[in-house]
Amino acid sequence: MRYSHPIALALLASLSLAACATTQASDVPKPAAPVATAPFASTYTPRPSTPVIIRGGTVLDGEGGELANADVLLIDGKIAGVGASLAAPGGATEIDARGKYVTPGIIDAHSHLGVYPSPSLQATSDGNELTHPNSAEVWAEHSVWPQDPGFSRAVAGGITTLHILPGSGNLFGGRGVTLRPVLGARTVQEMKFPGAPHSLKMACGENPSRVYGSRNQSPATGMGNVAGYRQAFAKAQEYDRKWSEYRKKLAAYDAGDKKGDRPSPPDRDLEQETIAGVLNGEILLQWHCYRADEMALAIDISREFNFKIAAFHHAVESYKIADLLARENICSAMWADWWGFKLEAYDGIRENIPFVHAGGACAIVHSDSEVGIQRLNQEAGKALSDGRRAGLDISRSVAWTWLSLNPARAIGVADRTGSLTVGKAADVVVWSADPLTTYAVAERVYIDGALVHERGRDTTPSDFELGQTYRERAQ
Amino acid sequence: MIIRNALVAAAALLAFAAPAAAQSVLIKGGRVITNAGAPLERGDVLITNGRIVAVGANIAAPAGATLIDAAGKWVTPGVFAAMSEVGLSEISGSGAPNDASVSGALVSAAADAGRAFDPAATAVAVTRLEGVTRAAIAPSASGTVFGGRGAIVALDGRAESVFRQRSFQVVELGETGASRTGGSRTALWPTLEAALRDAREYPSRYRSGQGGAVLSEIDAQALQPFALGQGMFLVHIERAADIRELIRFALANPSLKFAIHGGAEAWLVADELAAAKIPVILDPMVNLPDRMERLAARLDNAALLHKAGAKFAIAPGPGSVDAHQARLVLQLAGNAVANGLAWDAAFAAITKTPAEIFGVGLDLGTLAAGRTADVVVWDGDPLEVQSAPTAVYIAGREMPLVSRQTRLRDRYMPKAR
């Protein structure tokens, strides 16, 4: 079992899952229904690394702190120290970061790299199982093409962790997966972030009702969407109840109550398994939802069925309900300035991210784009400056939490990465200048303490790009 | 013509009667980017009656002129969005009307963006308050290889915003074009040649009953001026081999005018493009082999073209052109700088160069006496994502920095609630 239960429990605690207490009676083993996070186990191994000391940079620690002229020490793949004039072990590589900036790596909570890879062809359009509106049984990781050249471009932009989601054409799109952008990976398992929880992608709004409505199928309307969600959660509750009952009977049987045959388990249903995982808190819910009113409906559904929403994605109108999102402890993963491409994106404003932050809710800058993922730091810079122009007092170090700790929380890896905290993974970027500005570039990118990108050096090309004639010519 | 002369006289009188100074604005003490020489570190720009009348140091204010203190600020020509759909839809998707997108085969070359432009579209105000004052707008017809006729518009929201109607004709000569000629480039160039013949022989072959080889009558008529060299073909093309084919075609047809939109692999043929004097409107963020025709896309495309002396403007690439985010052209240019392009070349690529490519470079894109006064005052380097305009003038008129978005912002301002 690569999935570690202590981590899952820590997650539950950190996300204050209100649902747990009611769905899990004390005498029922948890989770009742199998969630099946064990198959396709991660085979990721950090690249070998030697100790590194990054000296004298301006450090944005990812938790909202800024240290001038500070050192960051990386040992055995972990952050071993952050502070002034740190002692480094003999043989440590010294990086002179004077005049430069040091941050935790950027975490993109919403990417389709691998499932909608380059080149974009019929054969690579692998992100939306648009055959039925509830495809909770599919897993994005089974569509990821490790050769997507987008992974190397993302690393060059300072990305060290990314969450790959299915598309938003279905009410239930399927499971998302958290990856390390491992260049040259042969399999998706080699990229999987060890122990990261699974997610379930759901979608509000125009997409599902357009896709299925145009086929004269449900959902064709907003009310059809909500009916679809509720019916599915009701079924999953029933599925979960059957498994609870089975486990109770089995426990009693094993404890010596040998009336009748040994109880046999209910049939497994992969769709139910995923949704039950959300009810049990083991699978984090990532919900594509643009409009404030639809987010409020989603929150009511979560109350009806006692589950937790980790984050709303796109969340173009989160600024209208920052108070509600803060109270519910739901993150919003947002663009800095996208708007107008459909009605549900019509009310987009440049201050969405800073207003959500100012309202006390968890703000995340996400990409949903193979281009945007390469410069999420600039998107945070836009949001920061727009917030300041609106009169909000936000520091650049706080703005960096939108790129690191907050997305780490939303995808359930905040105990392992997302800030320059001693003991966490040494996922570190050295920037040429203030990384919330346009001309800053990622000069050095470390994942688990290993240098995976150095500006000016060719990154490992994927097999797809290897040997292309233009590459030979460019070198 | 007595009546006409009387009107002219009346107009002149009106202009004369208005206090001249009341129409003067003096922007003082900013870092002035003129696009015509080195920046003025503490320069003044004087605008009178919609035109720039002086750029320099210590310009005396005419009596009654409005004074704008630009100390610590940047003063630049207005930004020119070299490819956009702004004003062609209020909302692009959701089944809302979208005039940029033309489906079916009724018209293609004849599609006419200038006549669909709505100066009151929300995106016009959203775009101009970020310093974009002009835009080339184009339709995307899909019936043939011709996308339709594009126009040049001012983003001042006034009724007469379209100041160059039918200025260019969009042509698809890459993968998209091939998809409309049987799925193959082998059919693409013969189709283009036949279409040009149809256009040149309009109306005779249509009147005679012979008809067009590939074009409907309405498209042949619309294409004719372009086929006769009276307008520019804006060719969407990405692959180096396709660009070479275009260069050969352009050399064989010297009366025709071409510019390239896309050009992801232009860096591979930079010298040839410079020699052929074919400008490229490129997207400096295109660096993925997302299409088979873009396998060699890279971030320093603009820097490499600049080094070779090829002319280029910066705008979203084909596939990224939209009605709402023309403002991002500043970030595009900034990222070209981050990837090796000189700042002045990058800024020119979103102001002066597009104005030149679209034939309005003598009036727009530089700050110099006699030019139309599209002037923007910024709180910092305009290519920096954290900067924003503090004042925007289009033809000398100060634009309100207000849009539907700023109204929503103000309604939901955290401190106000």
Side-chain angles (χ1 to χ4, degrees):
Chain A
M1 281 287 284
R2 289 193 73 92
Y3 194 83
S4 134
H5 278 285
I7 287 167
L9 289 169
L11 269 166
L12 299 183
S14 71
L15 288 167
S16 62
L17 281 152
C20 305
T22 46
T23 45
Q24 286 144 28
S26 57
D27 57 341
V28 178
K30 97 164 248 320
V35 173
T37 48
F40 318 103
S42 170
T43 57
Y44 167 82
T45 47
R47 287 193 188 176
S49 63
T50 54
V52 175
I53 179 116
I54 302 166
R55 291 229 185 255
T58 299
V59 174
L60 311 181
D61 66 12
E63 293 190 334
E66 174 170 336
L67 299 162
N69 192 21
D71 302 343
V72 178
L73 181 62
L74 287 51
I75 298 179
D76 292 336
K78 305 280 185 217
I79 303 289
V82 181
S85 309
L86 296 182
T93 306
E94 295 233 357
I95 304 297
D96 182 0
R98 285 173 299 174
K100 302 182 192 299
Y101 287 71
V102 185
T103 69
I106 297 173
I107 299 171
D108 189 357
H110 192 120
S111 170
H112 300 297
L113 288 182
V115 299
Y116 282 113
S118 297
S120 171
L121 305 171
Q122 197 180 16
T124 60
S125 183
D126 262 343
N128 256 318
E129 181 68 25
L130 295 179
T131 51
H132 50 299
N134 182 351
S135 65
E137 73 280 7
V138 306
W139 297 17
E141 64 193 80
H142 301 144
S143 277
V144 168
W145 189 43
Q147 290 195 42
D148 184 353
F151 290 116
S152 68
R153 311 302 196 270
V155 171
I159 296 286
T160 53
T161 299
L162 67 176
H163 191 65
I164 310 298
L165 289 163
S168 52
N170 288 344
L171 298 177
F172 295 82
R175 292 197 198 188
V177 63
T178 296
L179 300 181
R180 292 297 208 172
V182 177
L183 308 186
R186 299 162 302 171
T187 66
V188 71
Q189 291 91 330
E190 289 178 353
M191 305 177 76
K192 283 180 73 172
F193 194 116
H198 288 203
S199 77
L200 170 63
K201 169 79 174 286
M202 289 178 63
C204 288
E206 295 182 25
N207 290 3
S209 55
R210 184 190 66 244
V211 169
Y212 292 95
S214 67
R215 300 178 191 171
N216 230 2
Q217 243 180 284
S218 185
T221 59
M223 52 191 175
N225 286 351
V226 171
Y229 309 135
R230 294 176 69 225
Q231 190 63 66
F233 278 110
K235 274 172 73 177
Q237 278 185 334
E238 176 57 18
Y239 181 77
D240 198 56
R241 193 194 57 75
K242 278 188 199 155
W243 276 89
S244 297
E245 210 164 88
Y246 158 68
R247 293 211 196 274
K248 256 195 257 179
K249 282 184 188 159
L250 186 66
Y253 184 88
D254 288 347
D257 180 7
K258 306 282 187 200
K259 278 178 286 177
D261 294 337
R262 193 168 199 272
S264 55
D267 289 343
R268 277 182 70 190
D269 180 316
L270 298 183
E271 176 194 303
Q272 302 304 324
E273 215 162 272
T274 295
I275 301 174
V278 172
L279 293 172
N280 289 325
E282 205 167 335
I283 290 180
L284 304 183
L285 179 51
Q286 313 291 344
W287 203 332
H288 158 121
C289 214
Y290 284 73
R291 274 170 30 195
D293 56 327
E294 294 190 330
M295 288 188 256
L297 293 175
I299 288 168
D300 273 359
I301 297 167
S302 77
R303 291 203 183 108
E304 180 183 2
F305 294 96
N306 264 320
F307 60 85
K308 166 77 188 162
I309 301 164
F312 287 119
H313 288 242
H314 312 331
V316 159
E317 293 186 6
S318 274
Y319 67 94
K320 297 183 182 179
I321 51 164
D323 53 342
L324 177 58
L325 296 166
R327 195 166 62 236
E328 295 287 325
N329 194 23
I330 298 173
C331 292
S332 299
M334 299 164 280
W335 298 292
D337 55 15
W338 290 22
W339 75 288
F341 46 95
K342 45 185 173 172
L343 182 62
E344 62 191 2
Y346 191 47
D347 289 359
I349 63 170
R350 297 193 53 140
E351 294 78 9
N352 193 23
I353 291 166
F355 281 10
V356 168
H357 169 79
C362 159
I364 293 168
V365 184
H366 78 341
S367 81
D368 188 28
S369 157
E370 69 280 17
V371 176
I373 195 172
Q374 301 180 41
R375 43 191 74 79
L376 280 178
N377 55 311
Q378 292 177 24
E379 302 307 295
K382 289 181 197 172
L384 171 65
S385 66
D386 290 323
R388 285 175 171 172
R389 231 172 255 118
L392 301 176
D393 179 21
I394 305 172
S395 68
R396 61 187 174 191
S397 51
V398 164
W400 201 266
T401 64
W402 305 338
L403 298 167
S404 56
L405 192 60
N406 290 358
R409 280 173 61 194
I411 63 173
V413 294
D415 55 340
R416 279 158 288 175
T417 185
S419 60
L420 301 180
T421 304
V422 172
K424 281 195 182 182
D427 300 339
V428 184
V429 183
V430 181
W431 301 87
S432 62
D434 176 350
L436 293 154
T437 63
T438 303
Y439 308 129
V441 291
E443 292 189 338
R444 305 173 76 82
V445 181
Y446 296 87
I447 296 179
D448 283 321
L451 184 66
V452 295
H453 172 75
E454 192 176 353
R455 184 157 171 97
R457 298 235 173 135
D458 205 18
T459 46
T460 310
S462 75
D463 288 356
F464 177 76
E465 294 197 278
L466 187 67
Q468 301 274 12
T469 53
Y470 64 84
R471 286 192 69 86
E472 310 298 325
R473 185 172 158 175
Q475 280 155 16
Chain B
M1 286 285 285
I2 289 166
I3 292 173
R4 181 162 167 252
N5 280 347
L7 278 175
V8 170
L13 211 84
L14 269 176
F16 202 74
Q23 298 190 17
S24 288
V25 177
L26 181 62
I27 302 167
K28 284 194 70 68
R31 181 167 205 270
V32 181
I33 307 297
T34 64
N35 278 344
L40 308 174
E41 290 306 330
R42 285 190 57 81
D44 303 342
V45 177
L46 178 61
I47 301 169
T48 300
N49 292 335
R51 298 214 157 256
I52 296 167
V53 295
V55 179
N58 302 315
I59 295 171
T66 306
L67 291 183
I68 305 292
D69 180 8
K73 295 185 172 157
W74 293 50
V75 182
T76 74
V79 171
F80 193 123
M83 188 44 56
S84 177
E85 294 172 354
V86 63
L88 294 179
S89 69
E90 180 65 22
I91 294 163
S92 334
S94 305
N98 182 346
D99 291 317
S101 166
V102 187
S103 55
L106 181 63
V107 297
S108 56
D112 189 347
R115 294 165 82 176
F117 179 75
D118 181 6
T122 299
V124 170
V126 168
T127 303
R128 74 168 171 246
L129 68 76
E130 305 221 19
V132 182
T133 59
R134 308 272 163 169
I137 58 165
S140 299
S142 51
T144 71
V145 298
F146 298 101
R149 295 173 289 181
I152 316 296
V153 300
L155 299 182
D156 55 8
R158 286 158 69 90
E160 301 305 320
S161 296
V162 183
F163 66 103
R164 287 286 187 285
Q165 291 275 13
R166 297 171 285 283
S167 150
F168 59 97
Q169 174 70 245
V170 175
V171 196
E172 294 286 347
L173 292 178
E175 284 178 9
T176 303
S179 73
R180 296 175 192 169
T181 56
S184 169
R185 286 177 176 84
T186 60
L188 193 50
W189 291 92
T191 301
L192 175 69
E193 288 165 344
L196 292 173
R197 272 196 304 277
D198 283 352
R200 289 184 189 121
E201 293 168 10
Y202 171 86
S204 55
R205 64 184 296 154
Y206 293 87
R207 296 287 185 270
S208 71
Q210 181 191 10
V214 292
L215 287 188
S216 70
E217 183 169 354
I218 183 175
D219 282 336
Q221 181 185 15
L223 192 64
Q224 189 173 56
F226 301 93
L228 296 175
Q230 291 158 13
M232 182 176 74
F233 287 106
L234 188 58
V235 181
H236 171 205
I237 203 166
E238 305 277 2
R239 195 173 74 168
D242 294 341
I243 295 172
R244 283 194 206 97
E245 191 58 34
L246 177 70
I247 292 172
R248 284 191 280 271
F249 188 79
L251 291 175
N253 294 273
S255 65
L256 303 183
K257 300 189 193 86
F258 294 100
I260 291 171
H261 180 215
E265 297 190 350
W267 65 274
L268 283 166
V269 283
D271 293 334
E272 294 95 314
L273 282 167
K277 296 197 185 330
I278 297 178
V280 182
I281 300 170
L282 63 86
D283 182 338
M285 286 191 192
V286 169
N287 71 333
L288 280 165
D290 57 341
R291 305 176 188 194
M292 297 309 286
E293 61 186 349
R294 285 176 168 177
L295 289 181
R298 49 190 284 169
L299 288 174
D300 53 0
N301 194 14
L304 294 170
L305 286 177
H306 187 55
K307 202 169 144 195
K311 189 168 189 162
F312 62 93
I314 287 174
S320 304
V321 176
D322 73 355
H324 297 89
Q325 293 288 62
R327 57 189 180 172
L328 296 186
V329 71
L330 289 140
Q331 189 183 7
L332 295 182
N335 277 273
V337 175
N339 288 284
L341 182 63
W343 190 95
D344 54 348
F347 193 69
I350 55 170
T351 49
K352 180 175 180 245
T353 319
E356 288 170 356
I357 291 173
F358 290 103
V360 292
L362 293 178
D363 192 43
L364 292 165
T366 52
L367 297 184
R371 305 299 175 101
T372 292
D374 281 16
V375 184
V376 183
V377 184
W378 309 80
D379 62 8
D381 174 353
L383 301 188
E384 163 54 53
V385 285
Q386 293 204 24
S387 302
T390 59
V392 177
Y393 297 87
I394 299 183
R397 290 162 44 87
E398 183 170 9
M399 297 289 114
L401 298 181
V402 173
S403 70
R404 184 171 176 276
Q405 291 194 353
T406 65
R407 298 291 299 275
L408 279 164
R409 175 197 68 197
D410 295 345
R411 171 173 283 183
Y412 288 96
M413 187 73 81
K415 284 177 180 169
R417 292 178 77 83

